[in-house]
């Protein structure tokens, strides 16, 4: 009786001339390697093997990996007071809020602005963040 053998490859595209790495026995292993290499796809090979150990049929299916999100370690939040120019750097939004709360409490009518810094996009202002959070 014929049986099926499945294995996984990491690959960088679905083109004919693609780079492949593997094989791996599990999807998790292939996915981990793909992430390490910056590859965006997995390829699942299915071999249907006959009685004489010959490959009767080869099926392959491409699976696109979800886009890797920017890790939090690569993102910094900058607060800057528009009134007096005092600045601070934070990891989390709530820390920026606390800093702004204290600053605006201690300095009447000062207005703190929030900027997000990522390696890809640089510094970008998050407008109306205080109103949005309130
Ligand atoms: Zn200020």
């Amino acid at each position: 009786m014929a049986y099926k053998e499945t294995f996984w490859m990491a690959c960088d595209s679905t083109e004919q001339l693609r780079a492949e790495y593997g094989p791996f026995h599990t999807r998790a292993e292939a996915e981990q390697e793909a992430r390490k290499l910056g590859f965006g796809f997995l390829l699942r090979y299915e071999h249907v093997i006959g009685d004489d150990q010959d490959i009767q049929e080869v099926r392959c299916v491409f699976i696109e990996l979800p886009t890797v999100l920017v890790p939090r370690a690569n993102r910094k939040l900058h607060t800057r007071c528009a009134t007096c120019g005092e600045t601070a750097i934070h990891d989390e939004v709530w820390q920026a809020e606390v800093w702004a709360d204290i600053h605006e409490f201690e300095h009447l009518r000062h207005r703190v602005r929030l900027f997000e810094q990522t390696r890809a996009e640089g510094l970008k202002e998050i407008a109306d963040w205080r109103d949005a959070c309130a």
Side-chain angles (χ1 to χ4, degrees), residues 81-86 99 103 107 110-112:
C81 178
T83 317
C84 70
E86 202 178 313
W99 189 88
H103 188 84
H107 308 268
H110 281 203
R111 178 116 184 119
V112 176

